[in-house]
Amino acid sequence: MQSAPAVTYPVGRCFVRSLLHLVPITLGGLVCLIWFSHAVVPSGSRGIALLLWLLLATWVAWAWLHPAQGRLVWDGRIWSWHSQGATSQGRVKALLDWQDGLLMEFVPEHGRTVWLWPERSSAPAAWAGLRRAVFSSRVGLTSAGPGERA
């Protein structure tokens, strides 16, 4: 099987990822406000609920402000992730595909897994090439015969 052509794709903040971070925490804050204003709740319970919501909101804000940013590179044979001056090689796995974006897991040979959210709007001209590389490299991994390295 012939491999997809080489592609380099920029990855940064993603609109869908932002929604997944901001909508639940906003709804949780609204639920707390409604609960506080309409229910007879002891002040200790209100304090605990508010503290938990603030902790979650802080974590969500940090995660939203610090998305994985860098370049995902497919050289025709190996995936690599270039971020903050460091480069690591590994494999990618597409977990969600909504045509204009992907949720991908980059599993490096050494180090922590990185969740990537590439979007078509980041580099429209290279989007089709990225998708071909992601899905053809996955097919290549599953179709390798015994004793063959994909």
Side-chain angles (χ1 to χ4, degrees):
M1 169 182 274
Q2 212 172 33
S3 179
V7 66
T8 297
Y9 205 83
V11 178
R13 181 162 286 135
C14 170
F15 178 73
V16 172
R17 179 182 175 272
S18 296
L19 284 177
L20 289 174
H21 278 89
L22 298 176
V23 169
I25 204 67
T26 302
L27 290 175
L30 289 172
V31 166
C32 284
L33 283 175
I34 292 168
W35 180 48
F36 293 167
S37 65
H38 292 320
V40 178
V41 181
S43 61
S45 296
R46 286 182 187 195
I48 290 171
L50 183 60
L51 179 64
L52 288 174
W53 182 83
L54 285 172
L55 288 171
L56 284 173
T58 302
W59 176 73
V60 165
W62 184 90
W64 182 70
L65 291 169
H66 297 91
Q69 293 186 1
R71 290 185 341 267
L72 185 61
V73 178
W74 169 250
D75 68 3
R77 173 178 89 73
I78 297 171
W79 284 101
S80 58
W81 171 243
H82 304 264
S83 179
Q84 300 174 350
T87 299
S88 55
Q89 294 181 346
R91 57 184 172 78
V92 297
K93 182 177 176 183
L95 302 173
L96 285 176
D97 176 5
W98 59 95
Q99 299 304 311
D100 287 335
L102 292 166
L103 167 58
M104 297 168 55
E105 179 183 24
F106 178 79
V107 182
E109 293 172 350
H110 307 287
R112 288 184 16 211
T113 295
V114 180
W115 298 93
L116 306 174
W117 297 76
E119 285 185 306
R120 179 192 308 256
S121 61
S122 297
W127 181 248
L130 174 70
R131 289 177 53 82
R132 276 193 297 274
V134 167
F135 294 109
S136 72
S137 67
R138 186 176 71 182
V139 169
L141 286 174
T142 59
S143 64
E148 285 185 53
R149 184 174 170 183

